[in-house]
């Protein structure tokens, strides 16, 4: 887990960079969610489905990742189950726990949404200069490092 510094311990320029980075991410999240306006799933449903890629997740983990309480995450999961996109099953590592996993239909929905989002984003990226696209590509590993440190 990260050891967080007090505001007095952080360089003001670093605080300014952190603020700008957070605002850019916040705004990007809102805009990317708009890409799904024409889709069949809400942004929250699609986010939940994407969390289930791989081996699925426990309900508590889904709630934490969505920034909601467990009952709200459970509501979301019930809707996805009713739509045939997800299902609950016993957690193989803890028989008392339940994991939520994607169904084949859920995986197809995620794949379709990813394809749609990627097509729109590729069109946007095509309007950038080669230099801007290179700068973005160079920033991706740094963003991954930041995400990894926040995930722990």
């Amino acid at each position: 887990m990260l050891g967080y510094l007090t505001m007095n311990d952080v360089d003001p320029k670093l605080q300014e960079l952190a603020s700008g980075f957070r605002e850019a991410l916040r705004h990007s999240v809102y805009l990317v969610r708009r890409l799904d306006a024409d889709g069949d799933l809400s942004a929250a449903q699609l986010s939940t489905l994407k969390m289930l890629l791989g081996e699925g997740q426990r309900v508590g983990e889904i709630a934490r990742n969505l920034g909601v309480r467990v009952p709200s995450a459970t509501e979301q999961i019930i809707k996805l189950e009713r739509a045939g996109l997800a299902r609950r099953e016993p957690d193989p590592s803890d028989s008392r726990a339940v994991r939520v996993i994607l169904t084949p239909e859920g995986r197809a929905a995620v794949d379709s949404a990813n394809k749609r989002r990627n097509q729109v984003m590729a069109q946007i990226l095509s309007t950038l200069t080669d230099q801007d696209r290179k700068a973005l590509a160079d920033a991706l590993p740094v963003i991954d490092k930041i995400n990894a440190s926040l995930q722990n």
Side-chain angles (χ1 to χ4, degrees):
M1 193 75 176
L2 287 174
Y4 293 98
L5 303 172
T6 66
M7 290 300 283
N8 295 334
D9 296 332
V10 179
D11 179 317
K13 288 186 179 188
L14 204 50
Q15 288 181 22
E16 188 177 328
L17 177 61
S19 176
F21 180 66
R22 282 184 39 260
E23 277 303 301
L25 286 179
R26 182 189 62 77
H27 193 68
S28 293
V29 166
Y30 293 149
L31 294 176
V32 168
R33 286 182 177 165
R34 289 162 115 190
L35 297 178
D36 296 316
D38 295 333
D40 296 331
L41 299 170
S42 71
Q45 288 172 318
L46 187 54
S47 291
T48 303
L49 288 174
K50 289 188 89 164
M51 280 181 235
L52 306 179
L53 290 168
E55 298 179 10
Q57 298 229 351
R58 292 182 181 184
V59 177
E61 190 71 15
I62 293 169
R64 189 170 35 178
N65 288 337
L66 288 175
V68 299
R69 297 186 191 278
V70 170
S72 296
T74 301
E75 245 181 77
Q76 194 69 254
I77 292 161
I78 290 169
K79 289 177 186 176
L80 294 172
E81 285 179 312
R82 286 183 182 148
L85 302 173
R87 73 173 183 269
R88 287 181 254 197
E89 63 180 34
D91 187 326
S93 63
D94 182 350
S95 61
R96 299 167 296 164
V98 173
R99 290 184 85 68
V100 183
I101 63 167
L102 281 178
T103 63
E105 294 81 6
R107 181 166 299 281
V110 170
D111 290 345
S112 175
N114 281 339
K115 183 177 180 182
R116 192 173 53 252
R117 283 179 167 184
N118 289 343
Q119 286 174 337
V120 171
M121 194 58 67
Q123 289 173 348
I124 293 165
L125 295 178
S126 73
T127 68
L128 300 178
T129 65
D130 288 343
Q131 184 178 358
D132 286 341
R133 286 195 296 264
K134 182 176 180 344
L136 178 60
D138 290 345
L140 293 178
V142 176
I143 294 169
D144 287 342
K145 282 183 187 178
I146 293 168
N147 288 341
S149 68
L150 290 170
Q151 205 165 20
N152 296 331

